[in-house]
């Protein structure tokens, strides 16, 4: 049987910590792909170290620096539409991730049947399984292979992944037909009119390594980028209302929480509201988190009930309801809602999940409820699980 050829495609800027991370990324995957195509988006000294690493790994190099420039008209439209002064400012140059990635993909010749994409702060695990995975995709005539993306992890001093905080599947390997296109200057997604027989696989995964400083920097960068997209397109893509709302809520301060809630209600109830039930359920959960942070626990529970109407299979919503009842000291109701989780079948989803956080929240709720109900044997058992 003919072996399918696969090319690795990456965009890299080259500033700060990127050269070391880029080398580490390539070191985990280079020997398992047939060729590497890197698009450098940095300038001057930013690109020199990246060029050297590319040459060491015999990667093909291309260059692009695509930007959207914020105009006065865009700022004015945004203020009128969303009723707050945006973080983006006139003259800001916002990097267009979708343009850079589409250009990067276009550099891969058509004699490579598959493209694997990674970021420079990613690590690929299970590369030796790629040939079998591609063979399976060929047999099933698949267009895309989804791999688990461990977006936020806790690592040991030796760099070993100890806990997964946030994960979700992403289309990491796609057929190189030119039909897949990136869309969105930030939080970009891969799109194709019809994806044939997509498959998931757990023999390989991708681990993202970013520290606290990286996350804060990307948060503010992404806030400005989301505002720019919304202003540039006059709010055409409502995904960016959702993304922007979540970014503001991640700051966890009163002013930005209110801003986030307003955007979330717009996303759920506005004229171009989201119709993806799983996503709607998740957003109601975020609204409830904000209510709980500010002592509005009754409103939090109501928001979570709305979430269940949209997405009744959501385990996090049941955990959040139990948590809300724990906060107000209704221990029996908290345990009731927690018991419902065992009746919910696991459902594969493209949404990000936090398995470690979910487990620890469940144990924390149980411990508090059992203690306050005088169920001390259960308290001891739960304490052992927490340890």
């Amino acid at each position: 049987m003919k072996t399918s050829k696969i090319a690795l495609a990456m965009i890299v800027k080259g500033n700060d910590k990127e050269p070391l991370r880029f080398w580490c990324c390539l070191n985990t995957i280079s020997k398992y792909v047939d060729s590497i195509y890197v698009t450098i988006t940095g300038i001057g000294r930013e690109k020199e170290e990246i060029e050297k690493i590319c040459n060491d790994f015999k990667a093909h190099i291309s260059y692009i620096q695509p930007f959207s420039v914020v105009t006065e008209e865009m700022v004015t439209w945004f203020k009128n539409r969303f009723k707050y002064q945006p973080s983006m400012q006139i003259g800001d140059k916002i990097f267009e991730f979708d343009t850079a990635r589409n250009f990067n993909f276009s550099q891969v010749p058509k004699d490579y049947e598959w493209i694997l994409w990674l970021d420079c702060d990613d690590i690929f695990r299970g590369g030796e399984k790629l040939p079998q995975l591609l063979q399976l995709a060929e047999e099933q005539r698949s267009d895309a292979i989804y791999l688990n993306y461990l977006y936020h992890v806790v690592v040991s001093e030796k760099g070993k992944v100890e806990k997964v905080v946030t994960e979700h599947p992403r289309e990491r390997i796609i057929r190189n037909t030119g039909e897949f296109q990136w869309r969105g200057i930030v939080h970009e997604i891969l799109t194709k009119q019809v994806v044939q027989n997509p498959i998931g696989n757990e023999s390989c995964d991708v681990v993202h390594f970013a520290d606290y400083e990286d996350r804060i920097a990307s948060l503010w960068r992404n806030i400005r980028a989301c505002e720019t997209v919304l202003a540039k397109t006059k709010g055409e893509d409502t995904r960016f209302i959702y993304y922007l709302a979540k970014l503001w809520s991640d700051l966890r301060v009163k002013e930005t929480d209110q801003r986030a809630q307003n955007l979330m209600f717009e996303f759920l109830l506005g004229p171009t509201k989201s119709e993806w039930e799983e996503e709607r359920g998740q957003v109601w959960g975020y609204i409830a988190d904000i209510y709980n942070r500010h002592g509005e626990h009754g409103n939090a529970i109501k928001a979570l009930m709305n979430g269940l109407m949209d997405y009744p299979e959501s385990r996090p919503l049941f955990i959040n309801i139990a948590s809300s009842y724990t906060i107000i000291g209704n221990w029996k109701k908290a345990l009731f809602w927690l018991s419902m989780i065992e009746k919910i079948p696991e459902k594969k989803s493209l949404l990000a999940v936090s398995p470690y956080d979910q487990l620890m929240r469940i144990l924390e709720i149980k411990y508090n409820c059992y203690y306050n109900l005088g169920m001390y044997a259960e308290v001891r058992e739960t304490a052992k699980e927490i340890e």
Side-chain angles (χ1 to χ4, degrees):
M1 177 181 286
K2 174 181 175 293
T3 303
S4 297
K5 293 174 65 179
I6 183 169
L8 170 66
M10 301 181 67
I11 61 170
V12 186
K13 184 175 183 181
N15 62 340
D16 302 326
K17 309 163 189 171
E18 284 198 352
L20 176 58
R21 290 174 172 175
F22 180 48
W23 185 91
C24 290
C25 175
L26 291 181
N27 196 46
T28 65
I29 187 61
S30 61
K31 63 183 177 182
Y32 302 114
V33 296
D34 298 293
S35 195
I36 302 170
Y37 289 81
V38 175
T39 296
I40 298 176
T41 64
I43 57 175
R45 289 186 177 179
E46 285 185 341
K47 66 179 184 177
E48 291 176 5
E49 282 193 74
I50 299 299
E51 288 172 331
K52 182 180 183 304
I53 295 169
C54 285
N55 290 331
D56 289 343
F57 282 89
K58 298 181 172 55
H60 303 269
I61 304 174
S62 57
Y63 302 89
I64 193 173
Q65 292 94 35
F67 294 96
S68 287
V69 179
V70 177
T71 66
E72 182 177 359
E73 178 188 1
M74 290 163 64
V75 173
T76 301
W77 181 89
F78 191 95
K79 285 168 58 179
N80 292 336
R81 177 66 175 78
F82 295 107
K83 309 305 179 190
Y84 78 85
Q85 180 69 39
S87 294
M88 64 174 180
Q89 298 182 19
I90 298 169
D92 281 352
K93 296 174 69 177
I94 307 298
F95 185 77
E96 297 178 351
F97 280 91
D98 56 350
T99 302
R101 290 197 192 279
N102 284 327
F103 176 79
N104 175 233
F105 274 20
S106 73
Q107 304 305 299
V108 180
K110 290 296 183 280
D111 57 330
Y112 294 93
E113 291 93 341
W114 297 93
I115 296 176
L116 161 68
W117 68 273
L118 295 171
D119 289 326
C120 72
D121 46 7
D122 292 335
I123 293 296
F124 197 91
R125 301 194 303 181
E128 69 279 2
K129 304 291 181 58
L130 272 179
Q132 301 97 305
L133 187 52
L134 294 180
Q135 182 176 336
L136 176 65
E138 291 289 0
E139 290 171 356
Q140 298 192 11
R141 299 183 179 180
S142 303
D143 284 347
I145 302 171
Y146 283 75
L147 301 180
N148 205 20
Y149 183 34
L150 311 186
Y151 179 72
H152 185 185
V153 297
V154 176
V155 298
S156 66
E157 291 183 359
K158 295 182 178 180
K160 182 180 178 181
V161 175
E162 294 186 328
K163 298 170 186 173
V164 178
V165 180
T166 306
E167 64 182 358
H168 63 98
R170 288 215 68 171
E171 61 286 77
R172 280 291 173 178
I173 303 172
I174 57 104
R175 199 174 283 278
N176 184 23
T177 60
E179 296 172 279
F180 281 93
Q181 290 293 306
W182 289 97
R183 182 164 64 89
I185 69 174
V186 69
H187 287 301
E188 63 279 16
I189 59 173
L190 263 175
T191 61
K192 181 177 181 287
Q193 189 168 7
V194 178
V195 180
Q196 299 288 343
N197 305 321
I199 61 173
N201 193 275
E202 296 181 359
S203 60
C204 310
D205 61 26
V206 178
V207 184
H208 178 72
F209 286 94
D211 56 28
Y212 177 77
E213 182 181 293
D214 298 325
R215 296 183 192 283
I216 293 298
S218 66
L219 187 150
W220 283 106
R221 178 201 70 196
N222 291 345
I223 284 174
R224 290 189 291 272
C226 286
E227 290 174 343
T228 300
V229 174
L230 288 168
K232 188 176 179 180
T233 64
K234 300 295 190 291
E236 179 182 312
D237 191 340
T238 56
R239 287 184 308 122
F240 289 95
I241 298 177
Y242 164 62
Y243 296 148
L244 182 58
K246 184 62 173 68
L247 289 163
W248 282 126
S249 73
D250 285 344
L251 291 172
R252 304 175 71 86
V253 297
K254 188 172 184 179
E255 180 186 354
T256 57
D257 273 351
Q258 185 59 60
R259 189 175 295 170
Q261 265 193 343
N262 291 341
L263 289 165
M264 289 175 187
F265 281 124
E266 171 77 15
F267 180 76
L268 292 168
L269 307 172
T272 53
K273 62 184 181 181
S274 167
E275 298 296 338
W276 185 15
E277 293 178 349
E278 294 178 32
E279 191 174 57
R280 289 176 61 83
Q282 188 178 64
V283 173
W284 281 115
Y286 294 147
I287 290 172
D289 288 342
I290 294 172
Y291 278 135
N292 274 328
R293 279 205 291 271
H294 301 287
E296 299 182 50
H297 309 305
N299 283 334
I301 291 171
K302 290 176 184 177
L304 293 165
M305 296 302 181
N306 283 334
L308 285 181
M309 287 194 295
D310 279 322
Y311 186 26
E313 302 93 340
S314 171
R315 295 167 66 91
L317 287 175
F318 283 94
I319 296 171
N320 286 346
I321 294 172
S323 177
S324 297
Y325 277 117
T326 302
I327 292 170
I328 62 178
N330 196 328
W331 318 113
K332 290 184 177 179
K333 278 194 176 180
L335 286 176
F336 167 79
W337 284 100
L338 210 57
S339 71
M340 298 297 290
I341 295 172
E342 298 172 2
K343 300 177 174 63
I344 304 169
E346 287 283 356
K347 182 179 178 181
K348 288 291 184 181
S349 171
L350 296 181
L351 293 177
V353 296
S354 304
Y356 178 74
D357 177 62
Q358 286 184 25
L359 173 61
M360 295 310 296
R361 290 186 69 198
I362 289 171
L363 293 174
E364 181 184 7
I365 293 166
K366 284 183 176 180
Y367 184 92
N368 281 303
C369 291
Y370 291 150
Y371 179 83
N372 284 282
L373 291 170
M375 301 168 66
Y376 300 120
E378 288 81 357
V379 169
R380 287 191 290 271
E381 289 301 315
T382 305
K384 289 178 184 177
E385 290 187 69
I386 293 173
E387 291 175 0

